[in-house]
Amino acid sequence: QVQLVESGGGSVQAGGSLRLSCARTGSNFAPACMAWFRQTPGKEREGVGSADRDGIINYADSVKGRFTISREYAKNTLYLEMNNLKPEDTATYYCAAINVYAGPCELAASGYNQWGQGTQVTVSS
């Protein structure tokens, strides 16, 4: 059974950094797309960034220049390096994946069918 397990969340002050990891277990198959999403209570899940098998990375405008996504294929792991964090980055961060997908990896939650349980990131001012 495929599982996505996030780790690395925590609490930091504004301007600080955190690195999230997402380990995909239960399958050696490399998904077409892996992505990070975030969600706050009462709001829809928001795409942060995605990475396809060819290393093409796509970011939401709100995190460009501050967040970096990388994908380690040998470990089937996705990372999210977050720098210059702001209070508005506070959210539960989720890892997502989809095995087969035609076209650029999207940042809509409906495009993914594998999800982790989430890890909390809290940024204080």
Side-chain angles (χ1 to χ4, degrees):
Q1 182 179 355
V2 173
Q3 286 189 317
L4 300 177
V5 181
E6 302 99 336
S7 61
S11 298
V12 295
Q13 290 190 327
S17 300
L18 283 173
R19 187 189 195 213
L20 307 184
S21 300
C22 170
R24 186 173 180 270
T25 62
S27 172
N28 290 325
F29 181 84
C33 297
M34 294 188 74
W36 287 102
F37 288 81
R38 64 187 182 185
Q39 190 171 24
T40 55
K43 293 189 176 180
E44 291 188 359
R45 200 162 288 191
E46 171 194 23
V48 174
S50 64
D52 71 7
R53 278 201 207 98
D54 297 324
I56 296 175
I57 310 293
N58 184 28
Y59 295 101
D61 288 342
S62 58
V63 305
K64 281 181 182 176
R66 300 188 299 121
F67 290 12
T68 302
I69 288 175
S70 58
R71 189 169 165 178
E72 188 172 1
Y73 297 92
K75 293 184 178 181
N76 219 353
T77 300
L78 186 72
Y79 301 98
L80 178 64
E81 183 78 33
M82 303 184 292
N83 296 313
N84 191 20
L85 282 161
K86 303 176 181 180
E88 52 263 43
D89 294 318
T90 295
T92 301
Y93 283 71
Y94 296 91
C95 176
I98 185 163
N99 284 349
V100 180
Y101 192 77
C105 296
E106 59 183 277
L107 292 179
S110 59
Y112 296 83
N113 58 8
Q114 301 167 25
W115 290 90
Q117 293 300 306
T119 185
Q120 179 67 34
V121 171
T122 302
V123 184
S124 58
S125 57

